[in-house]
Structures are given as C-alpha cells and as structure tokens.
Amino acid sequence: MSRSRRSQWWFIGTLAAALLLMLVPLPGVLAPFKPYWPALVLLYWALESEDRVSLGLAFGVGLFADLLDGVLLGEQALRLCALIFIAVRFRSRLRFFPMWQQALAVLALLLNDRILLLLVRMLAGASLPPASWWISPFVGAALWPFLFLLLDDLRARLRIQ
C-alpha cells in the first residue's frame, strides 16, 4: 500500500473512531465527563496537516455526527465549523505552543463550542443545562496532551505525512 493511500486511510480511520467514541453511551453519572471526540480529532488534524482539514470537511463531519447522534440537523456542523475556523486561523501560533499552553487553547476552543451549543439549544427552546454540563470541555482539555501524543506517535510509526 502506498504511503499516500495509507495516510488517507489513517485520516479517515481517526475520524471514524472519533464518531464512534461519540456514540459510546456512559452511565448518567459519567455522562458530563464525555469529551467531544470529533472536535478533538479534527483539531489535531487541523494543527498537524493544514491541507487536510477545511471548513467543508468540518461541516460534513458535523452533519454526519448530527445524523448519528440524532440531534438538531446542523448543530454539530455549525459547532465544528466555528472550531475549525478559529483553529485554522491561529494554526501557526497554536502549533508551536508548549503542550500546556496548547491544552489551555483547546480548553478555550471547547468552552467556545459549549457557548455556541448553548445558544443554539436556547434558540431551539431548550432549558438551561445543569452546571455539570460545563465539565466536558475541561475533560477534553485534560485529555488533549495524551490524545495529541498518541495520534502523533502512531502517525510517526506509520510514517504518515
């Protein structure tokens, strides 16, 4: 298998894994701790491979995630587009941050994502979520260094550009 084909399969595989992880049900007590996997994986690829992740891809992944998750169509597409727009805009700075600063930047992006989700749901007529709803971005930011290093290590072992 050629290197470019292996690279393409690895990219698609990580996105598919993120969508599957999004669907994994957790007990009610642990549900607020579930990170937003598609955002974290798309963010990794946006930082590591600028030509792979575009707003169109983020929109497509978001629509597919909406269909899988059964939420308002376009909700996750809007959220992922906003996240990727900001990440691509500041990519040159974010890539060279130390890992702890990158994790803080990811926290800011995920909190922005939660605020956008809150606005969409409030416009749709939902009530205010409980305070535990805000835990997920902090979990995602705490997992970021481990996810980044894992994906980076696997990408290096597979010799993928």
Side-chain angles (χ1 to χ4, degrees):
M1 185 180 291
S2 72
R3 185 175 288 184
S4 66
R5 175 158 243 155
R6 184 174 36 200
S7 173
Q8 191 69 21
W9 279 110
W10 173 244
F11 176 68
I12 292 168
T14 56
L15 290 177
L19 290 170
L20 288 175
L21 282 171
M22 178 189 73
L23 294 176
V24 172
L26 291 178
V29 176
L30 296 178
F33 294 94
K34 188 176 182 180
Y36 188 30
W37 292 109
L40 291 172
V41 172
L42 275 174
L43 192 54
Y44 168 79
W45 284 113
L47 294 179
E48 286 303 304
S49 181
E50 70 180 299
D51 59 333
R52 284 187 189 228
V53 178
S54 65
L55 292 178
L57 175 71
F59 188 79
V61 169
L63 279 180
F64 194 65
D66 288 333
L67 292 172
L68 286 176
D69 212 15
V71 295
L72 182 66
L73 191 61
E75 178 183 284
Q76 292 186 60
L78 172 69
R79 293 167 53 199
L80 288 175
C81 279
L83 183 114
I84 293 305
F85 174 79
I86 296 168
V88 168
R89 172 74 175 87
F90 295 105
R91 178 184 184 271
S92 59
R93 293 180 192 159
L94 290 172
R95 280 193 77 211
F96 297 106
F97 280 176
M99 191 54 69
W100 68 272
Q101 284 181 339
Q102 231 181 52
L104 287 177
V106 168
L107 174 63
L109 287 168
L110 292 175
L111 284 172
N112 182 55
D113 173 68
R114 277 292 163 156
I115 292 168
L116 189 57
L117 177 58
L118 181 67
L119 289 173
V120 167
R121 291 207 174 153
M122 296 304 281
L123 288 173
S127 59
L128 279 174
S132 62
W133 188 72
W134 293 95
I135 295 173
S136 177
F138 292 94
V139 173
L143 288 175
W144 174 254
F146 303 105
L147 179 69
F148 183 89
L149 293 174
L150 173 72
L151 290 175
D152 222 32
D153 183 56
L154 291 173
R155 191 170 60 99
R157 286 178 195 248
L158 295 172
R159 293 179 179 87
I160 294 172
Q161 295 296 323

